[in-house]
Amino acid sequence: AISASRGYRTLVVDLDPQCNSTQYLLGEKAGHGQETAALEPNVETFFEEVLNGATQSKGLIGSALGSLLKTRERGLEPMIHPTQFQRLSVIPASPTLGAMEHALQSKHKIFKLRDALKALDNQFDRVFIDTPPAFNFFTLSALIAADRVVIPFDCDVFSHRALQTLLENVVETRSDHHPDLEVEGIVVNQFQSRATLPQQVVQSLKDEGLPVFENMLPPSVIMKESHQHNLPLLHLAPDHKLTQSYVALFDEMNARI
């Protein structure tokens, strides 16, 4: 939301079957309730077309018909939905996205998201990909498609342990698929500046040489209100301390690009 407010044409790609980003940015339009179908077309539609194109063209490679069938993939453009906020768009997730993972993996479609996002280069200045919490086909697809990784981190020991596993996955992805992938930085969330433990945890990250953003995010109930209203903090409470922390964090990130 801050990116769009600064004049950047901004796209959010939601790859998380929980669909939180989709609901946050699109509100009731996003659906996903027990009696409401998921908003279509969405990112699952894109991956369905990837699979269908592979099935239809099988055995026809080199023929005129095979060439025609392979062009049926429309890419990501039809899946883009505008939000109520100027210059901010989203490609919605789907709660049933995970059911496709095995088929996509078995047909080696790991580079399809990267290629489709490259085709949108002239339409957007910033693209943010929201990944699933688990490391799976969709997370790996996002890492291959991305230039940089931003890692959210809650100030506790369990998050520290999970961080090590995530960093190993990033290193492996860089080694096997994407040598230019970089960790942009670690976003420290729920940071209480007056408490000893959060300070110790953050210092331990810095001592390990990890790239921790200097602007950290304090805890606040205003974020829950933001979720409830499906309204980014910048529009709900622009002068709030947490909002200003996000603005400072965005500026720090943006300065590195």
Side-chain angles (χ1 to χ4, degrees):
I2 296 167
S3 173
S5 74
R6 292 291 176 84
Y8 297 109
R9 299 169 299 171
T10 303
L11 174 67
V12 174
V13 182
D14 192 356
L15 290 181
D16 188 349
Q18 295 179 78
C19 308
N20 291 340
S21 292
T22 299
Q23 292 178 304
Y24 188 44
L25 294 176
L26 295 176
E28 293 182 2
K29 179 182 176 184
H32 306 317
Q34 292 183 350
E35 300 177 357
T36 309
L39 179 64
E40 295 183 347
N42 53 49
V43 76
E44 184 176 5
T45 313
F46 164 73
F47 284 114
E48 283 176 347
E49 292 183 0
V50 165
L51 284 176
N52 290 338
T55 303
Q56 291 170 336
S57 61
K58 187 177 181 180
L60 297 172
I61 303 300
S63 70
L65 181 57
S67 298
L68 286 172
L69 287 172
K70 285 192 290 182
T71 63
R72 288 186 180 179
E73 291 179 27
R74 297 178 294 167
L76 286 169
E77 187 168 2
M79 291 69 186
I80 298 171
H81 295 256
T83 69
Q84 62 174 310
F85 313 105
Q86 190 175 9
R87 293 179 297 274
L88 181 56
S89 301
V90 60
I91 295 178
S94 165
T96 56
L97 183 61
M100 309 179 64
E101 182 178 359
H102 177 71
L104 288 163
Q105 212 160 16
S106 65
K107 293 185 180 297
H108 309 290
K109 299 301 178 182
I110 203 69
F111 296 101
K112 285 294 186 177
L113 180 65
R114 178 199 65 183
D115 297 342
L117 283 175
K118 282 185 177 180
L120 299 178
D121 274 352
N122 63 341
Q123 296 186 43
F124 294 98
D125 306 305
R126 299 284 187 272
V127 177
F128 297 91
I129 308 174
D130 184 12
T131 62
F135 190 79
N136 58 22
F137 171 88
F138 301 106
T139 313
L140 181 56
S141 292
L143 291 177
I144 291 173
D147 299 312
R148 289 169 290 274
V149 183
V150 173
I151 303 173
F153 176 84
D154 287 344
C155 282
D156 59 49
V157 175
F158 296 115
S159 292
H160 198 172
R161 293 170 184 168
L163 176 63
Q164 298 303 321
T165 301
L166 176 56
L167 290 172
E168 289 171 4
N169 290 331
V170 172
V171 169
E172 186 175 1
T173 302
R174 185 162 53 194
S175 175
D176 294 345
H177 303 291
H178 189 354
D180 297 324
L181 182 64
E182 298 178 1
V183 175
E184 180 76 5
I186 297 170
V187 175
V188 177
N189 193 30
Q190 303 293 319
F191 181 71
Q192 297 173 296
S193 58
R194 297 183 181 181
T196 302
L197 180 59
Q199 294 182 26
Q200 292 175 341
V201 172
V202 170
Q203 188 59 50
S204 69
L205 297 181
K206 293 180 177 180
D207 291 344
E208 292 173 25
L210 298 177
V212 180
F213 286 110
E214 290 301 321
N215 289 284
M216 305 179 193
L217 303 175
S220 175
V221 70
I222 192 70
M223 180 54 78
K224 293 182 180 179
E225 295 176 16
S226 175
H227 294 164
Q228 182 180 3
H229 294 289
N230 297 316
L231 194 61
L233 282 175
L234 187 70
H235 303 286
L236 177 68
D239 297 323
H240 193 277
K241 177 183 177 182
L242 183 58
T243 307
Q244 295 306 307
S245 296
Y246 269 103
V247 170
L249 175 63
F250 176 82
D251 289 338
E252 184 181 355
M253 289 182 182
N254 211 34
R256 300 185 182 186
I257 298 176

PDB file of all heavy atoms in Angstrom, residues 195-218:
ATOM      1  N   ALA A 195      12.125  -4.193  26.288  1.00  0.00           N
ATOM      2  CA  ALA A 195      12.262  -5.541  26.844  1.00  0.00           C
ATOM      3  C   ALA A 195      13.643  -6.105  26.505  1.00  0.00           C
ATOM      4  O   ALA A 195      14.185  -5.853  25.425  1.00  0.00           O
ATOM      5  CB  ALA A 195      11.169  -6.453  26.300  1.00  0.00           C
ATOM      6  N   THR A 196      14.184  -6.873  27.423  1.00  0.00           N
ATOM      7  CA  THR A 196      15.547  -7.390  27.244  1.00  0.00           C
ATOM      8  C   THR A 196      15.633  -8.489  26.199  1.00  0.00           C
ATOM      9  O   THR A 196      16.529  -8.487  25.346  1.00  0.00           O
ATOM     10  CB  THR A 196      16.081  -7.930  28.589  1.00  0.00           C
ATOM     11  OG1 THR A 196      16.056  -6.881  29.550  1.00  0.00           O
ATOM     12  CG2 THR A 196      17.503  -8.442  28.435  1.00  0.00           C
ATOM     13  N   LEU A 197      14.697  -9.449  26.243  1.00  0.00           N
ATOM     14  CA  LEU A 197      14.788 -10.607  25.360  1.00  0.00           C
ATOM     15  C   LEU A 197      14.767 -10.225  23.875  1.00  0.00           C
ATOM     16  O   LEU A 197      15.615 -10.715  23.112  1.00  0.00           O
ATOM     17  CB  LEU A 197      13.675 -11.607  25.674  1.00  0.00           C
ATOM     18  CG  LEU A 197      13.669 -12.875  24.820  1.00  0.00           C
ATOM     19  CD1 LEU A 197      14.982 -13.638  24.976  1.00  0.00           C
ATOM     20  CD2 LEU A 197      12.480 -13.773  25.178  1.00  0.00           C
ATOM     21  N   PRO A 198      13.826  -9.384  23.421  1.00  0.00           N
ATOM     22  CA  PRO A 198      13.857  -9.010  21.997  1.00  0.00           C
ATOM     23  C   PRO A 198      15.181  -8.373  21.587  1.00  0.00           C
ATOM     24  O   PRO A 198      15.690  -8.646  20.482  1.00  0.00           O
ATOM     25  CB  PRO A 198      12.700  -8.015  21.880  1.00  0.00           C
ATOM     26  CG  PRO A 198      11.782  -8.362  22.990  1.00  0.00           C
ATOM     27  CD  PRO A 198      12.670  -8.805  24.107  1.00  0.00           C
ATOM     28  N   GLN A 199      15.751  -7.542  22.443  1.00  0.00           N
ATOM     29  CA  GLN A 199      17.034  -6.917  22.126  1.00  0.00           C
ATOM     30  C   GLN A 199      18.129  -7.976  21.990  1.00  0.00           C
ATOM     31  O   GLN A 199      18.968  -7.894  21.089  1.00  0.00           O
ATOM     32  CB  GLN A 199      17.407  -5.906  23.202  1.00  0.00           C
ATOM     33  CG  GLN A 199      16.473  -4.699  23.262  1.00  0.00           C
ATOM     34  CD  GLN A 199      16.923  -3.690  24.318  1.00  0.00           C
ATOM     35  OE1 GLN A 199      18.091  -3.607  24.656  1.00  0.00           O
ATOM     36  NE2 GLN A 199      15.979  -2.929  24.838  1.00  0.00           N
ATOM     37  N   GLN A 200      18.105  -8.970  22.870  1.00  0.00           N
ATOM     38  CA  GLN A 200      19.110 -10.031  22.812  1.00  0.00           C
ATOM     39  C   GLN A 200      18.953 -10.864  21.536  1.00  0.00           C
ATOM     40  O   GLN A 200      19.953 -11.219  20.895  1.00  0.00           O
ATOM     41  CB  GLN A 200      18.999 -10.933  24.043  1.00  0.00           C
ATOM     42  CG  GLN A 200      19.403 -10.255  25.344  1.00  0.00           C
ATOM     43  CD  GLN A 200      19.168 -11.138  26.551  1.00  0.00           C
ATOM     44  OE1 GLN A 200      18.397 -12.112  26.493  1.00  0.00           O
ATOM     45  NE2 GLN A 200      19.810 -10.808  27.675  1.00  0.00           N
ATOM     46  N   VAL A 201      17.702 -11.162  21.168  1.00  0.00           N
ATOM     47  CA  VAL A 201      17.455 -11.974  19.971  1.00  0.00           C
ATOM     48  C   VAL A 201      17.925 -11.232  18.723  1.00  0.00           C
ATOM     49  O   VAL A 201      18.594 -11.802  17.854  1.00  0.00           O
ATOM     50  CB  VAL A 201      15.958 -12.334  19.866  1.00  0.00           C
ATOM     51  CG1 VAL A 201      15.670 -12.999  18.524  1.00  0.00           C
ATOM     52  CG2 VAL A 201      15.551 -13.262  21.001  1.00  0.00           C
ATOM     53  N   VAL A 202      17.585  -9.954  18.626  1.00  0.00           N
ATOM     54  CA  VAL A 202      17.996  -9.161  17.461  1.00  0.00           C
ATOM     55  C   VAL A 202      19.510  -9.035  17.400  1.00  0.00           C
ATOM     56  O   VAL A 202      20.115  -9.155  16.326  1.00  0.00           O
ATOM     57  CB  VAL A 202      17.334  -7.766  17.496  1.00  0.00           C
ATOM     58  CG1 VAL A 202      17.947  -6.856  16.428  1.00  0.00           C
ATOM     59  CG2 VAL A 202      15.838  -7.890  17.276  1.00  0.00           C
ATOM     60  N   GLN A 203      20.134  -8.822  18.534  1.00  0.00           N
ATOM     61  CA  GLN A 203      21.595  -8.708  18.560  1.00  0.00           C
ATOM     62  C   GLN A 203      22.251 -10.004  18.109  1.00  0.00           C
ATOM     63  O   GLN A 203      23.285  -9.983  17.424  1.00  0.00           O
ATOM     64  CB  GLN A 203      22.071  -8.331  19.962  1.00  0.00           C
ATOM     65  CG  GLN A 203      23.566  -8.006  20.028  1.00  0.00           C
ATOM     66  CD  GLN A 203      23.940  -6.864  19.109  1.00  0.00           C
ATOM     67  OE1 GLN A 203      23.304  -5.799  19.116  1.00  0.00           O
ATOM     68  NE2 GLN A 203      24.970  -7.060  18.278  1.00  0.00           N
ATOM     69  N   SER A 204      21.648 -11.133  18.479  1.00  0.00           N
ATOM     70  CA  SER A 204      22.205 -12.427  18.053  1.00  0.00           C
ATOM     71  C   SER A 204      22.137 -12.582  16.540  1.00  0.00           C
ATOM     72  O   SER A 204      23.051 -13.150  15.925  1.00  0.00           O
ATOM     73  CB  SER A 204      21.470 -13.583  18.746  1.00  0.00           C
ATOM     74  OG  SER A 204      20.142 -13.706  18.279  1.00  0.00           O
ATOM     75  N   LEU A 205      21.073 -12.058  15.925  1.00  0.00           N
ATOM     76  CA  LEU A 205      20.975 -12.091  14.465  1.00  0.00           C
ATOM     77  C   LEU A 205      22.091 -11.251  13.840  1.00  0.00           C
ATOM     78  O   LEU A 205      22.738 -11.674  12.870  1.00  0.00           O
ATOM     79  CB  LEU A 205      19.613 -11.559  14.006  1.00  0.00           C
ATOM     80  CG  LEU A 205      18.365 -12.326  14.434  1.00  0.00           C
ATOM     81  CD1 LEU A 205      17.116 -11.650  13.865  1.00  0.00           C
ATOM     82  CD2 LEU A 205      18.420 -13.768  13.962  1.00  0.00           C
ATOM     83  N   LYS A 206      22.305 -10.078  14.387  1.00  0.00           N
ATOM     84  CA  LYS A 206      23.344  -9.193  13.861  1.00  0.00           C
ATOM     85  C   LYS A 206      24.730  -9.794  14.073  1.00  0.00           C
ATOM     86  O   LYS A 206      25.613  -9.687  13.204  1.00  0.00           O
ATOM     87  CB  LYS A 206      23.246  -7.821  14.521  1.00  0.00           C
ATOM     88  CG  LYS A 206      21.980  -7.052  14.154  1.00  0.00           C
ATOM     89  CD  LYS A 206      21.937  -5.683  14.831  1.00  0.00           C
ATOM     90  CE  LYS A 206      20.714  -4.901  14.404  1.00  0.00           C
ATOM     91  NZ  LYS A 206      20.639  -3.555  15.055  1.00  0.00           N
ATOM     92  N   ASP A 207      24.932 -10.450  15.224  1.00  0.00           N
ATOM     93  CA  ASP A 207      26.223 -11.077  15.500  1.00  0.00           C
ATOM     94  C   ASP A 207      26.524 -12.196  14.512  1.00  0.00           C
ATOM     95  O   ASP A 207      27.703 -12.491  14.235  1.00  0.00           O
ATOM     96  CB  ASP A 207      26.250 -11.637  16.928  1.00  0.00           C
ATOM     97  CG  ASP A 207      26.265 -10.534  17.988  1.00  0.00           C
ATOM     98  OD1 ASP A 207      26.561  -9.374  17.630  1.00  0.00           O
ATOM     99  OD2 ASP A 207      25.947 -10.842  19.158  1.00  0.00           O
ATOM    100  N   GLU A 208      25.470 -12.821  13.985  1.00  0.00           N
ATOM    101  CA  GLU A 208      25.647 -13.870  12.988  1.00  0.00           C
ATOM    102  C   GLU A 208      25.887 -13.301  11.585  1.00  0.00           C
ATOM    103  O   GLU A 208      26.066 -14.052  10.628  1.00  0.00           O
ATOM    104  CB  GLU A 208      24.409 -14.776  12.964  1.00  0.00           C
ATOM    105  CG  GLU A 208      24.233 -15.600  14.225  1.00  0.00           C
ATOM    106  CD  GLU A 208      22.912 -16.348  14.244  1.00  0.00           C
ATOM    107  OE1 GLU A 208      22.359 -16.617  13.155  1.00  0.00           O
ATOM    108  OE2 GLU A 208      22.408 -16.648  15.356  1.00  0.00           O
ATOM    109  N   GLY A 209      25.862 -11.977  11.485  1.00  0.00           N
ATOM    110  CA  GLY A 209      26.102 -11.343  10.195  1.00  0.00           C
ATOM    111  C   GLY A 209      24.891 -11.293   9.292  1.00  0.00           C
ATOM    112  O   GLY A 209      25.008 -11.059   8.080  1.00  0.00           O
ATOM    113  N   LEU A 210      23.704 -11.487   9.863  1.00  0.00           N
ATOM    114  CA  LEU A 210      22.485 -11.488   9.060  1.00  0.00           C
ATOM    115  C   LEU A 210      22.019 -10.055   8.802  1.00  0.00           C
ATOM    116  O   LEU A 210      22.163  -9.176   9.656  1.00  0.00           O
ATOM    117  CB  LEU A 210      21.383 -12.282   9.776  1.00  0.00           C
ATOM    118  CG  LEU A 210      21.712 -13.761  10.001  1.00  0.00           C
ATOM    119  CD1 LEU A 210      20.608 -14.451  10.788  1.00  0.00           C
ATOM    120  CD2 LEU A 210      21.932 -14.477   8.668  1.00  0.00           C
ATOM    121  N   PRO A 211      21.427  -9.808   7.626  1.00  0.00           N
ATOM    122  CA  PRO A 211      21.023  -8.444   7.248  1.00  0.00           C
ATOM    123  C   PRO A 211      19.694  -8.042   7.883  1.00  0.00           C
ATOM    124  O   PRO A 211      18.619  -8.232   7.308  1.00  0.00           O
ATOM    125  CB  PRO A 211      20.904  -8.527   5.720  1.00  0.00           C
ATOM    126  CG  PRO A 211      20.512  -9.955   5.458  1.00  0.00           C
ATOM    127  CD  PRO A 211      21.200 -10.771   6.518  1.00  0.00           C
ATOM    128  N   VAL A 212      19.737  -7.485   9.061  1.00  0.00           N
ATOM    129  CA  VAL A 212      18.537  -7.066   9.779  1.00  0.00           C
ATOM    130  C   VAL A 212      18.221  -5.608   9.440  1.00  0.00           C
ATOM    131  O   VAL A 212      19.095  -4.744   9.536  1.00  0.00           O
ATOM    132  CB  VAL A 212      18.724  -7.207  11.306  1.00  0.00           C
ATOM    133  CG1 VAL A 212      17.468  -6.758  12.049  1.00  0.00           C
ATOM    134  CG2 VAL A 212      19.086  -8.647  11.658  1.00  0.00           C
ATOM    135  N   PHE A 213      16.990  -5.342   9.027  1.00  0.00           N
ATOM    136  CA  PHE A 213      16.596  -3.959   8.770  1.00  0.00           C
ATOM    137  C   PHE A 213      16.633  -3.165  10.069  1.00  0.00           C
ATOM    138  O   PHE A 213      16.219  -3.653  11.127  1.00  0.00           O
ATOM    139  CB  PHE A 213      15.179  -3.900   8.181  1.00  0.00           C
ATOM    140  CG  PHE A 213      15.100  -4.331   6.737  1.00  0.00           C
ATOM    141  CD1 PHE A 213      14.491  -5.524   6.397  1.00  0.00           C
ATOM    142  CD2 PHE A 213      15.623  -3.541   5.730  1.00  0.00           C
ATOM    143  CE1 PHE A 213      14.414  -5.927   5.072  1.00  0.00           C
ATOM    144  CE2 PHE A 213      15.545  -3.927   4.401  1.00  0.00           C
ATOM    145  CZ  PHE A 213      14.944  -5.125   4.071  1.00  0.00           C
ATOM    146  N   GLU A 214      17.116  -1.941   9.980  1.00  0.00           N
ATOM    147  CA  GLU A 214      17.220  -1.099  11.169  1.00  0.00           C
ATOM    148  C   GLU A 214      15.849  -0.676  11.687  1.00  0.00           C
ATOM    149  O   GLU A 214      15.648  -0.500  12.886  1.00  0.00           O
ATOM    150  CB  GLU A 214      18.060   0.139  10.858  1.00  0.00           C
ATOM    151  CG  GLU A 214      19.526  -0.157  10.645  1.00  0.00           C
ATOM    152  CD  GLU A 214      20.175  -0.814  11.860  1.00  0.00           C
ATOM    153  OE1 GLU A 214      19.835  -0.420  13.000  1.00  0.00           O
ATOM    154  OE2 GLU A 214      21.000  -1.725  11.678  1.00  0.00           O
ATOM    155  N   ASN A 215      14.890  -0.501  10.795  1.00  0.00           N
ATOM    156  CA  ASN A 215      13.537  -0.109  11.202  1.00  0.00           C
ATOM    157  C   ASN A 215      12.732  -1.354  11.559  1.00  0.00           C
ATOM    158  O   ASN A 215      12.461  -2.200  10.698  1.00  0.00           O
ATOM    159  CB  ASN A 215      12.860   0.669  10.067  1.00  0.00           C
ATOM    160  CG  ASN A 215      13.462   2.037   9.882  1.00  0.00           C
ATOM    161  OD1 ASN A 215      13.209   2.951  10.654  1.00  0.00           O
ATOM    162  ND2 ASN A 215      14.309   2.178   8.857  1.00  0.00           N
ATOM    163  N   MET A 216      12.378  -1.466  12.835  1.00  0.00           N
ATOM    164  CA  MET A 216      11.672  -2.638  13.342  1.00  0.00           C
ATOM    165  C   MET A 216      10.225  -2.267  13.671  1.00  0.00           C
ATOM    166  O   MET A 216       9.907  -1.105  13.911  1.00  0.00           O
ATOM    167  CB  MET A 216      12.401  -3.189  14.564  1.00  0.00           C
ATOM    168  CG  MET A 216      13.861  -3.495  14.275  1.00  0.00           C
ATOM    169  SD  MET A 216      14.755  -4.113  15.712  1.00  0.00           S
ATOM    170  CE  MET A 216      16.458  -3.958  15.120  1.00  0.00           C
ATOM    171  N   LEU A 217       9.364  -3.274  13.694  1.00  0.00           N
ATOM    172  CA  LEU A 217       7.927  -3.038  13.835  1.00  0.00           C
ATOM    173  C   LEU A 217       7.462  -3.367  15.250  1.00  0.00           C
ATOM    174  O   LEU A 217       7.573  -4.512  15.692  1.00  0.00           O
ATOM    175  CB  LEU A 217       7.157  -3.889  12.829  1.00  0.00           C
ATOM    176  CG  LEU A 217       7.556  -3.673  11.371  1.00  0.00           C
ATOM    177  CD1 LEU A 217       6.824  -4.663  10.461  1.00  0.00           C
ATOM    178  CD2 LEU A 217       7.278  -2.245  10.934  1.00  0.00           C
ATOM    179  N   PRO A 218       6.936  -2.388  15.982  1.00  0.00           N
ATOM    180  CA  PRO A 218       6.463  -2.637  17.350  1.00  0.00           C
ATOM    181  C   PRO A 218       5.100  -3.330  17.336  1.00  0.00           C
ATOM    182  O   PRO A 218       4.360  -3.259  16.348  1.00  0.00           O
ATOM    183  CB  PRO A 218       6.346  -1.224  17.931  1.00  0.00           C
ATOM    184  CG  PRO A 218       6.043  -0.358  16.743  1.00  0.00           C
ATOM    185  CD  PRO A 218       6.791  -0.968  15.592  1.00  0.00           C
TER     186      PRO A 218
END
